[in-house]
Amino acid sequence: CWFADPRAIHYKSADGSIDASYIGSIDVHGAIKASQIDFKANPDGYQQDVLVRSRFQPDDHNNPTFLVLPDERIMIFYARHTDEPRFYYRVSTKKGDITSLGEEHEIKVANNTTYPSPFILSDDPKHIYLCWRGLGWHPTIAQLSMPTKEGDVNFTWGPYQMVKSTGARPYAKYQSNGKDKILLAYTTGHPDNEMPNHLYFNYININDLTLEDVTGNKLADIAKGPHRVNKSKDYQEKYPLAVVDAPQDARDWLWQTTSDSKGFPSIAMVRINDDKTSHHYYLARWNGKVWRKIFVADGGGQFHQTPNLEKCYSGGMALNPEKSNVV
């Protein structure tokens, strides 16, 4: 499932002692797994597989996500599909080595969870920012303390719902600029249920804990309440730079967001027609003045072979995070 990030990472330490990739998965029995490829110890790419948690929940939403901590331990997050008010995580006891995972911990919250996306940014290197689908099935954020030696963390701010949509379940993708902002691209709701379904973009500014549009205009103080989003002309006129795409005859969905060398965001997106038979891939790019939508390819139809099941699920697309014009 593609709505939790990062699902795979590569990390190379400054002193060269660590050069490894970490890849998450979940199998049909509900086992949470992670694979480690240590290129320093095994230049040929030998893969070590680690069982993170057995007998979890056989659901693709539950694939794990990864975070490299400032002390170079690896932290792995996972959660069930919106039927438990908690996250689970494990932290490696050795730098860069997930074969040394410590015991499982829980982060308990008031609402059910899914899709954990954790970030550490250089403007605030003492905290973790965790984004997920939580409060009201909407984009949610909290600030966490760094894990102790024993792996314990605490909430230091939040959780807070960032957006309130007229759609029941906005779908969000996150990425950070590594410094002071988390990129947040999201839809009005699920394209199966929303016709049309629009696409929006905001920044999460971690220095003042606000939501901004693409030029830095403040939309909301996150702790004081969510930014309200809808598909009306009034919203588009009031917040034109927060709206990436507002078709009247299509159902938008998104696959990834990242930024280019200028810091301008790009979004891999798909437009699905009214009867859900046609999926067209686009690259939406901010050029400093407007959002520009570039047609990429005809993605065909749904990838399911079962008739009338999940007709809005495309085959998929991805962006090169270092070259955002490469799809």
Side-chain angles (χ1 to χ4, degrees):
C1 193
W2 72 98
F3 284 105
D5 287 304
R7 292 155 288 157
I9 58 173
H10 182 81
Y11 179 69
K12 190 171 185 178
S13 61
D15 64 5
S17 61
I18 303 169
D19 184 8
S21 292
Y22 312 95
I23 305 157
S25 62
I26 181 169
D27 71 14
V28 295
H29 304 291
I32 305 289
K33 297 180 177 180
S35 299
Q36 176 173 292
I37 303 173
D38 185 342
F39 295 99
K40 185 174 178 63
N42 303 287
D44 294 333
Y46 173 75
Q47 179 173 306
Q48 297 171 285
D49 295 327
V50 176
L51 178 63
V52 180
R53 168 71 183 267
S54 64
R55 300 191 180 191
F56 197 55
Q57 180 190 34
D59 189 309
D60 62 334
H61 293 69
N62 305 347
N63 55 250
T65 55
F66 299 89
L67 187 65
V68 181
L69 300 174
D71 62 10
E72 298 185 317
R73 290 181 294 167
I74 310 299
M75 191 171 184
I76 303 177
F77 291 83
Y78 46 106
R80 290 172 63 92
H81 183 194
T82 321
D83 68 355
E84 270 190 339
R86 71 196 67 206
F87 290 103
Y88 300 89
Y89 68 91
R90 296 180 69 181
V91 183
S92 69
T93 59
K94 296 179 181 178
K95 295 182 177 183
D97 184 7
I98 62 171
T99 66
S100 70
L101 287 178
E103 66 181 41
E104 182 180 81
H105 294 260
E106 296 181 10
I107 304 173
K108 295 182 179 180
V109 293
N111 297 79
N112 291 344
T113 65
T114 193
Y115 304 140
S117 293
F119 302 97
I120 299 172
L121 298 95
S122 62
D123 275 13
D124 184 11
K126 295 182 179 180
H127 294 104
I128 295 167
Y129 288 85
L130 183 63
C131 302
W132 71 95
R133 188 174 79 188
L135 291 163
W137 291 63
H138 278 61
T140 300
I141 189 170
Q143 182 191 77
L144 306 175
S145 62
M146 286 295 171
T148 63
K149 184 178 180 180
E150 293 74 27
D152 297 319
V153 302
N154 296 299
F155 283 114
T156 50
W157 176 79
Y160 294 111
Q161 180 178 334
M162 292 182 284
V163 172
K164 174 59 179 175
S165 173
T166 51
R169 289 178 292 162
Y171 277 73
K173 290 289 287 185
Y174 303 91
Q175 180 61 279
S176 89
N177 66 357
K179 182 182 185 299
D180 60 348
K181 293 182 179 181
I182 297 171
L183 289 67
L184 164 59
Y186 59 98
T187 60
T188 312
H190 194 298
D192 255 344
N193 307 322
E194 296 287 331
M195 175 60 202
N197 199 35
H198 291 179
L199 179 62
Y200 312 89
F201 179 88
N202 303 156
Y203 280 122
I204 304 163
N205 186 326
I206 65 153
N207 286 320
D208 59 10
L209 302 175
T210 61
L211 210 62
E212 303 174 344
D213 71 17
V214 70
T215 62
N217 295 319
K218 181 177 174 179
L219 300 173
D221 183 329
I222 293 172
K224 293 182 179 179
H227 173 58
R228 294 185 174 273
V229 175
N230 61 59
K231 295 183 287 188
S232 70
K233 288 292 184 182
D234 287 344
Y235 180 85
Q236 295 168 39
E237 291 172 0
K238 188 174 182 180
Y239 304 107
L241 302 182
V243 180
V244 178
D245 194 36
Q248 296 306 304
D249 58 351
R251 308 167 186 265
D252 282 353
W253 220 359
L254 72 162
W255 282 84
Q256 188 176 345
T257 183
T258 187
S259 54
D260 63 17
S261 58
K262 296 179 181 178
F264 293 166
S266 295
I267 304 170
M269 58 171 286
V270 59
R271 278 182 176 176
I272 304 163
N273 66 346
D274 189 0
D275 66 4
K276 310 175 188 177
T277 58
S278 175
H279 296 221
H280 285 169
Y281 295 163
Y282 286 84
L283 177 61
R285 305 189 73 189
W286 174 253
N287 65 9
K289 295 182 179 179
V290 296
W291 286 102
R292 184 181 175 214
K293 273 77 70 181
I294 304 162
F295 177 74
V296 175
D298 180 353
Q302 69 193 68
F303 69 74
H304 284 279
Q305 295 180 352
T306 305
N308 300 315
L309 176 67
E310 302 287 18
K311 294 178 73 175
C312 287
Y313 283 82
S314 312
M317 60 193 301
L319 299 177
N320 183 332
E322 296 181 352
K323 297 179 181 178
S324 62
N325 63 319
V326 176
V327 183

